[in-house]
Amino acid sequence: MTIEELLTLPSLSGMKLLAGKTGIHRKISTVTVVDTPDGATWIKGNEFVITTAYAIRDDASGITQLIKELHRKSASGLGIKSGRFIKKIPRDAIELAESLSFPVISVPEEYAFCDIINPALSLIVNRQSALLMHSSKVHKDFLELAVNNNSVPEILQTLQSLINMPAVFVDIHFRQFYYSDYNSPLAKDMHNISFDEFSPGLFPQYDCITVANKSEKFGYILTSHCEVSDFDEKLTRTAIEYASIVLILRIQTRISNMHIEEKYRSVFLEDLLMNNVKTECEIHNRAQLYGWNFSNGGLVAVIDINNIKKYYIKSLDPQTNEK
């Protein structure tokens, strides 16, 4: 959660922001109490720290030093129970907090520590639980897609159902666009361009995520760009990561199958050329695998183009040669 969300909890309506308003989006991962002179030493980051200021009640610069140390340790903010051991927050401490965008909050004296800790941690734990449940569902859904050899549009439709946004996959290996919803505004924008016109920055109004492993790029996933909470952003990112994994597996399988088919097709042509075929039935059965129909006879020929490699290397510009 964030400092801003902490301040909007109904049970904590008595807490007031004293300084550091520009830092209210700081994230809170836990809530802790610091009431010893060296308490800030144990801060690890993202804690909302509560203190009665008992340990520094006689130190005029104590609050200022505490704010400096908490900011250095990347704490989320400081809640001070003023009125008991410290009557008023020093002006220099308020000014420092403002300059650091470090939230300082006044905590009513009647609030027990558990009154703050329990509702904050309940919200944090509930969100973590929801994130884990969502991740489990995402994992299950995409595992089924991977095992059942579903198509790329079906993978994108599953992604759309999880993130509530249409998606497009740009397959740079087989030079194709795939859509989760063919009639979505995103898809209609993509319809207006050819594959060669596409670039990752062509549509800045959409999020473009690269689909790649450590050694190779396979394409891009495009989705609508929406202003969402950090929590919803995590859910979306998790779903897109799983979709990317399944898409990579699908493309790798297709590439592998294509290479195998090319290999066996070449062997078949060689067998025809070398008369290494036993029956006419064998010819027709093997030809059928590649969509060829030799029922009306046929001719196999080898065409040798002299110096073709030299021509491609020397006579074409690099971009055309690559294509």
Side-chain angles (χ1 to χ4, degrees), residues 160 166-168 179-189 191:
Q160 178 174 335
V168 171
Y179 307 94
S180 65
D181 180 357
Y182 202 78
N183 295 314
S184 68
L186 169 57
K188 290 177 180 178
D189 284 340
H191 295 164

Side-chain angles (χ1 to χ4, degrees), residues 303-312:
I303 302 172
D304 181 19
I305 304 175
N306 290 329
N307 299 322
I308 187 68
K309 187 174 181 180
K310 181 191 292 186
Y311 170 75
Y312 272 111

Side-chain angles (χ1 to χ4, degrees), residues 1-10 24 28 123 127 229:
M1 66 187 303
T2 63
I3 293 289
E4 184 177 24
E5 290 171 323
L6 180 73
L7 291 170
T8 58
L9 290 177
I24 60 174
I28 303 172
L123 181 59
R127 286 183 173 178
S229 66

Side-chain angles (χ1 to χ4, degrees), residues 73-191:
K73 289 292 192 73
S74 299
S76 305
L78 175 64
I80 304 175
K81 295 185 72 171
S82 56
R84 186 176 181 188
F85 298 111
I86 183 169
K87 299 302 180 183
K88 186 179 180 182
I89 310 297
R91 186 64 200 168
D92 59 341
I94 296 295
E95 291 175 354
L96 175 65
E98 284 287 354
S99 67
L100 297 175
S101 296
F102 185 81
V104 174
I105 296 168
S106 172
V107 178
E109 188 177 347
E110 63 270 18
Y111 278 22
F113 291 143
C114 63
D115 293 336
I116 304 169
I117 294 172
N118 289 347
L121 291 187
S122 292
L123 181 59
I124 291 170
V125 170
N126 287 341
R127 286 183 173 178
Q128 289 174 335
S129 176
L131 182 59
L132 288 172
M133 291 177 65
H134 178 82
S135 297
S136 177
K137 173 175 171 51
V138 169
H139 174 78
K140 179 176 178 292
D141 289 352
F142 282 112
L143 182 61
E144 289 180 358
L145 291 172
V147 170
N148 295 322
N149 200 32
N150 289 77
S151 66
V152 172
E154 288 172 325
I155 295 170
L156 294 177
Q157 287 161 12
T158 298
L159 176 61
Q160 178 174 335
S161 71
L162 292 167
I163 65 176
N164 296 318
M165 290 185 289
V168 171
F169 176 56
V170 182
D171 181 347
I172 61 176
H173 265 273
F174 295 98
R175 298 173 59 79
Q176 286 181 274
F177 296 137
Y178 295 94
Y179 307 94
S180 65
D181 180 357
Y182 202 78
N183 295 314
S184 68
L186 169 57
K188 290 177 180 178
D189 284 340
M190 299 295 288
H191 295 164

Side-chain angles (χ1 to χ4, degrees), residues 244-255:
S244 298
I245 292 170
V246 180
L247 287 169
I248 289 172
L249 290 173
R250 188 65 65 250
I251 296 171
Q252 286 177 327
T253 300
R254 188 176 172 189
I255 291 172

